[in-house]
Amino acid sequence: MPDKKPHLEVHNLSKSFRINHQIGGYLSLRDQISGLFVKGKMQSEEFYALKDIGFEVSEGDSLGIIGRNGAGKSTLLKILSRITPPTKGRIIVRGRIASLLEVGTGFHQELTGRENIFFNGSLLGMKRKEVQSKFDAIVDFSGTERFLDTPLKHYSSGMQLRLAFSVAAFLEPEIMIIDEVLAVGDAEFQRKCMGKMQDVSQSGRTILFVSHDLDAVERLCRKAILLQQGSIASQGMAGEVIQKYLASGGSVPPGSWPLAGGMLLKALSFADNSILSGDVLPFEIELHNTNDEKPDLTDLCLLFYNYKKQRVAIYDLRNFFGNFQWTGNRISYRGVIQRFNLVEGEYQVGLFYGIDGKHGDLYEVVKLQVKRRPDQFKVNPYDLQYRGFVDLM
Amino acid sequence: MSRDINIEAQEKVWDADRPRWLDWKEMWDHRELFYFFTWRDIKIKYKQTVLGLLWAVLQPLMLMVIFTLFFGNALNVPSGSLPYPVFVFSGLVIWNAFSSGLTGAANSMVSNAQIIRKVYFPRLIVPVSTALSAFFDFTIAFILFGLLLIFYRQPVSISAVIYWPLSVLLAFLATLGPGSLLAALNVKYRDFRYVIPFLIQLIFFVTPILYPFSVIKLPWLTYVAALSPMFAPIHLFRAPLLDEDVPIHLIVVSLTSLLLILITGILYFRKSEDYFADYA
């Protein structure tokens, strides 16, 4: 038998953007026209989101793509999904390809569950007959049969998510591209999804999976590539690549972190970056608004990640009324977490934000070292690996 | 084994440097999406409305009443052998499909940006389907048009069997040309949002809809009117009702203009399609 050709080949793939420093948001014709006359005023800079990427995925293999925010993971997925074209390079695809960059793409609040299943399924590349034949299974998997003919706007967000994932779960392309869609939903449903994805990868289909959840990558993918600033920093068996990624971590960019809507995170700090498990944890956070108008800040939470980059805790910073205290153009917040009950270890603290309807995560803003309490009266404490994340004391 | 052969046969190569032409096969593979987008647009349009489909009829009906009162009665605009309401409604019914189809299509890429950023499919499906859903409204208004003809006991030439479908098809193509052009431009330059209503109004008055072609006395002005891509569809739509002499060369001018805009629109759309997700 001749060598089987891989399902997916990527050769010398690059994507560059031109950044004009003076233009924000979308272009307006005036900017373009005035740009014709006022030369040299606009600083334009070429930015490579991806540089010379090359890899292959053979049939039935699963490839995890890991890396920090801004390393180019999403751009790579978008190119492979044909949503945006590469600047250079070549991609060879053998088989049907379907991508899940989001669950519930095209879901419409006014349409019923049934209607949304058909529209979404069709968008993802299913034929109408295919949706029809899988319809019962999809509904069954989502557990929303009672609401099938209710408009989606009356669904809870959890139900919408379940419905969305269920449609996606019954896609049967040869190659499937998945972007972190598992990061949402309740634990029970996440487990169900992981199970489904494992079935999919074992059924001979090819999976590309991007996630910050290294645990999920390790479980689901045989191989992995690590992206760093648009290039492949490491490529090989998933376990080894994850090790390299963990070893390279730790450095944090100085200055401020851009959020959405012109907001910057200026500071996030703790009174002490090394505390004892169960201690009080005073913290300070400062946000600046750089736009003329105040953006609508709806969500702000501290996120705590363990050494495996799994999220282990969240701390909501919204006040009782769900809004934030502005002082001029700043939000400055001092708070205290009364008992920081996570077990000892090294944690990364990030931020979840919702600004003007856009939500996003910062993953690694500060490091927090948690040590075991010396005065614990338990005579012989168990090893860390048996104790989970939270010390209930 | 059969699976392997199958997969080899499906091999697709995407080269960054190679320009892509309009991919008809791919469009055909996604043909169900035309249906689904159109179906969704129609569904959503009439959800939570009390009058529902009646809205498709009400708009041209009210316009007809207003135009009849002011243009027909007050200004005494001639309407040939037809009663003015029939005359103006026969123009409005097809014009309405054009104008709402064009507005919808021109905004379609922006209003579907969420989907475009997350899923790939031939993008042309979006403006085409949006225009199609506007032409669905036309079929409803067309029923009213039929009732109006019966009410006025208006004789209709048998040639309508050919003229009407032809006219609707041409009107659809006339919608699609500027629709896809503006849709693509709108993604990149939001200025065009403001251009669209103005442009539609402009074409409305240039095209002989409220007035018969015969009132244009200046020869050069007839050419200006004929440049409107809707000139030919509207004339063809009225032809079975009205014996008005429209020189064939003006019809040819209108059809040429229609075709040129259509080709330009689709080519420009195709050319900028790849980068929609970056701008949308």
Side-chain angles (χ1 to χ4, degrees), chain A residues 243-289:
Chain A
Q243 278 309 314
K244 274 189 195 148
Y245 178 44
L246 289 176
S248 75
S251 66
V252 174
S256 55
W257 292 261
L259 310 176
M263 291 283 280
L264 298 176
L265 171 66
K266 284 306 252 191
L268 171 59
S269 57
F270 299 105
D272 192 348
N273 277 27
S274 175
I275 60 162
L276 298 178
S277 179
D279 261 1
V280 285
L281 178 62
F283 64 90
E284 216 179 318
I285 182 168
E286 197 173 318
L287 303 170
H288 283 206
N289 169 33

Side-chain angles (χ1 to χ4, degrees), chain A residues 7 15 26-27 29 32 81-85 89-91 93-94 108 115 122-123 127-128 153, chain B residues 11-12 14-16 20 26 29 32-33 36 43 47-48 120 188-191 193 274 278:
Chain A
H7 259 172
K15 168 98 182 169
Y26 56 75
L27 293 164
L29 200 57
Q32 289 261 301
S81 319
R82 297 187 65 189
I83 289 164
T84 179
R90 154 183 278 203
I91 299 165
V93 178
R94 299 186 179 91
H108 200 284
E115 291 165 345
S122 169
L123 267 181
K127 295 269 169 267
R128 192 149 69 114
K153 60 183 171 186
Chain B
E11 176 171 312
K12 270 176 276 182
W14 306 328
D15 248 321
R20 284 191 295 134
E26 192 181 41
D29 289 342
E32 282 187 347
L33 268 184
F36 274 113
K43 281 249 168 182
K47 286 253 162 141
Q48 280 215 352
Y120 175 78
K188 215 171 164 189
Y189 310 104
R190 302 289 155 103
D191 302 72
R193 244 180 322 192
D274 289 343
D278 293 342

Side-chain angles (χ1 to χ4, degrees), chain B residues 29-81:
Chain B
D29 289 342
H30 286 83
R31 62 190 176 276
E32 282 187 347
L33 268 184
F34 284 103
Y35 164 77
F36 274 113
F37 266 103
T38 311
W39 167 85
R40 182 200 64 161
D41 281 354
I42 296 168
K43 281 249 168 182
I44 290 166
K45 203 158 161 189
Y46 297 113
K47 286 253 162 141
Q48 280 215 352
T49 58
V50 181
L51 295 180
L53 282 177
L54 266 183
W55 281 113
V57 180
L58 252 107
Q59 256 182 13
L61 195 66
M62 307 244 263
L63 282 175
M64 180 197 79
V65 171
I66 299 292
F67 288 138
T68 303
L69 289 178
F70 288 88
F71 286 72
N73 292 353
L75 277 173
N76 262 321
V77 174
S79 53
S81 54

Side-chain angles (χ1 to χ4, degrees), chain B residues 154-170:
Chain B
Q154 175 62 43
V156 180
S157 156
I158 187 75
S159 61
V161 187
I162 299 163
Y163 278 120
W164 284 348
L166 182 67
S167 152
V168 175
L169 179 71
L170 287 175

Side-chain angles (χ1 to χ4, degrees), chain A residues 100-121:
Chain A
L100 268 184
L101 301 195
E102 172 191 65
V103 286
T105 305
F107 263 30
H108 200 284
Q109 296 295 317
E110 295 290 344
L111 297 179
T112 66
R114 184 189 303 277
E115 291 165 345
N116 271 311
I117 291 178
F118 275 95
F119 185 63
N120 179 244

Side-chain angles (χ1 to χ4, degrees), chain A residues 5 22 36 110 125 129 136 187 200 237 243 274 336 354 368 390:
Chain A
K5 288 190 177 167
Q22 298 205 338
L36 287 176
E110 295 290 344
K129 281 204 179 122
D136 291 335
V200 169
M237 303 309 283
Q243 278 309 314
S274 175
V336 171
L368 183 66
V390 183

Side-chain angles (χ1 to χ4, degrees), chain B residues 216-246:
Chain B
I216 312 177
K217 300 293 185 220
L218 295 169
W220 67 269
L221 209 55
T222 60
Y223 284 98
V224 175
L227 276 179
S228 156
M230 281 305 281
F231 182 87
I234 288 201
H235 175 69
L236 293 177
F237 194 77
R238 275 179 183 154
L241 308 169
L242 185 68
D243 7 283
E244 191 185 27
D245 253 351
V246 174

Side-chain angles (χ1 to χ4, degrees), chain B:
Chain B
M1 278 310 278
S2 65
R3 197 186 156 98
D4 290 20
I5 292 157
N6 184 14
I7 285 164
E8 296 274 329
Q10 285 187 53
E11 176 171 312
K12 270 176 276 182
V13 179
W14 306 328
D15 248 321
D17 326 308
R18 201 184 51 196
R20 284 191 295 134
W21 179 233
L22 206 59
D23 194 338
W24 296 106
K25 190 196 165 288
E26 192 181 41
M27 210 102 83
W28 177 249
D29 289 342
H30 286 83
R31 62 190 176 276
E32 282 187 347
L33 268 184
F34 284 103
Y35 164 77
F36 274 113
F37 266 103
T38 311
W39 167 85
R40 182 200 64 161
D41 281 354
I42 296 168
K43 281 249 168 182
I44 290 166
K45 203 158 161 189
Y46 297 113
K47 286 253 162 141
Q48 280 215 352
T49 58
V50 181
L51 295 180
L53 282 177
L54 266 183
W55 281 113
V57 180
L58 252 107
Q59 256 182 13
L61 195 66
M62 307 244 263
L63 282 175
M64 180 197 79
V65 171
I66 299 292
F67 288 138
T68 303
L69 289 178
F70 288 88
F71 286 72
N73 292 353
L75 277 173
N76 262 321
V77 174
S79 53
S81 54
L82 286 178
Y84 191 81
V86 175
F87 174 82
V88 81
F89 197 80
S90 64
L92 280 176
V93 75
I94 193 121
W95 169 263
N96 232 32
F98 169 79
S99 86
S100 64
L102 178 52
T103 312
N107 290 313
S108 61
M109 297 311 285
V110 176
S111 50
N112 285 297
Q114 275 293 356
I115 297 177
I116 287 158
R117 265 186 254 127
K118 298 291 181 188
V119 184
Y120 175 78
F121 52 85
R123 306 307 195 193
L124 197 58
I125 292 173
V126 174
V128 171
S129 308
T130 314
L132 274 176
S133 72
F135 275 74
F136 170 82
D137 283 359
F138 165 80
T139 57
I140 311 284
F142 186 77
I143 296 169
L144 182 72
F145 177 62
L147 294 176
L148 202 71
L149 290 180
I150 295 168
F151 180 80
Y152 280 97
R153 295 170 198 278
Q154 175 62 43
V156 180
S157 156
I158 187 75
S159 61
V161 187
I162 299 163
Y163 278 120
W164 284 348
L166 182 67
S167 152
V168 175
L169 179 71
L170 287 175
F172 182 71
L173 295 178
T175 311
L176 203 56
S180 52
L181 182 66
L182 288 170
L185 285 168
N186 211 358
V187 174
K188 215 171 164 189
Y189 310 104
R190 302 289 155 103
D191 302 72
F192 284 92
R193 244 180 322 192
Y194 311 111
V195 174
I196 298 156
F198 174 66
L199 189 74
I200 288 176
Q201 220 167 30
L202 213 74
I203 308 174
F204 180 71
F205 289 110
V206 169
T207 316
I209 297 167
L210 300 179
Y211 53 89
F213 169 75
S214 54
V215 300
I216 312 177
K217 300 293 185 220
L218 295 169
W220 67 269
L221 209 55
T222 60
Y223 284 98
V224 175
L227 276 179
S228 156
M230 281 305 281
F231 182 87
I234 288 201
H235 175 69
L236 293 177
F237 194 77
R238 275 179 183 154
L241 308 169
L242 185 68
D243 7 283
E244 191 185 27
D245 253 351
V246 174
I248 188 79
H249 70 272
L250 290 183
I251 298 289
V252 173
V253 169
S254 173
L255 289 179
T256 312
S257 146
L258 187 158
L259 207 66
L260 282 180
I261 299 173
L262 181 67
I263 293 171
T264 315
I266 289 184
L267 284 187
Y268 183 75
F269 189 91
R270 173 66 211 92
K271 196 182 141 256
S272 41
E273 173 181 49
D274 289 343
Y275 294 91
F276 282 164
D278 293 342
Y279 288 111

